[in-house]
Amino acid sequence: MPDPAIFNELIHAPIRLRICASLAPVQWAEFSHLRENLGITDSVLSKHLKQLTDAGYVEVERFAKLGRSHVRLCLSKEGRRAYVGHLAALRKITEGE
């Protein structure tokens, strides 16, 4: 059964929508790669990620690689469901349903 089409105001904000769109096709994305791909600062990305993690939409994992600290992110199951539902709602709006 497909996820219901539900407009999600939290995801709809442009940067948060771009974050979700960037995370949707991958299992994990590193913070630095996401920041570079979106062309935003660490602080802006952190602010929007906090809102998405507080809602349970994004999971954060910290790890060390070659002696350096890294952060990677993924959409949670709930986040993926909310994102897909939001896209379905946008399709309904744009298709005039």
Side-chain angles (χ1 to χ4, degrees):
M1 179 161 101
D3 291 320
I6 299 173
F7 188 88
N8 187 305
E9 296 214 14
L10 178 68
I11 289 176
H12 191 68
I15 291 175
R16 290 191 294 274
L17 182 58
R18 291 175 60 210
I19 290 168
C20 291
S22 296
L23 293 175
V26 298
Q27 186 174 3
W28 291 95
E30 284 200 35
F31 182 95
S32 59
H33 293 138
L34 190 57
R35 179 198 63 226
E36 290 167 16
N37 289 341
L38 297 175
I40 56 178
T41 64
D42 284 359
S43 61
V44 170
L45 180 55
S46 293
K47 174 187 164 193
H48 288 285
L49 284 173
K50 176 157 179 25
Q51 292 175 299
L52 291 167
T53 56
D54 287 350
Y57 291 169
V58 171
E59 295 175 6
V60 178
E61 183 179 287
R62 299 178 194 297
F63 65 99
K65 182 168 74 175
L66 301 174
R68 295 188 64 211
S69 179
H70 293 267
V71 176
R72 69 181 191 169
L73 313 150
C74 74
L75 279 180
S76 66
K77 194 178 268 191
E78 182 180 342
R80 191 167 301 279
R81 190 172 15 257
Y83 174 67
V84 169
H86 184 68
L87 291 181
L90 291 176
R91 275 190 215 94
K92 279 186 154 184
I93 291 168
T94 58
E95 293 171 359
E97 290 183 26

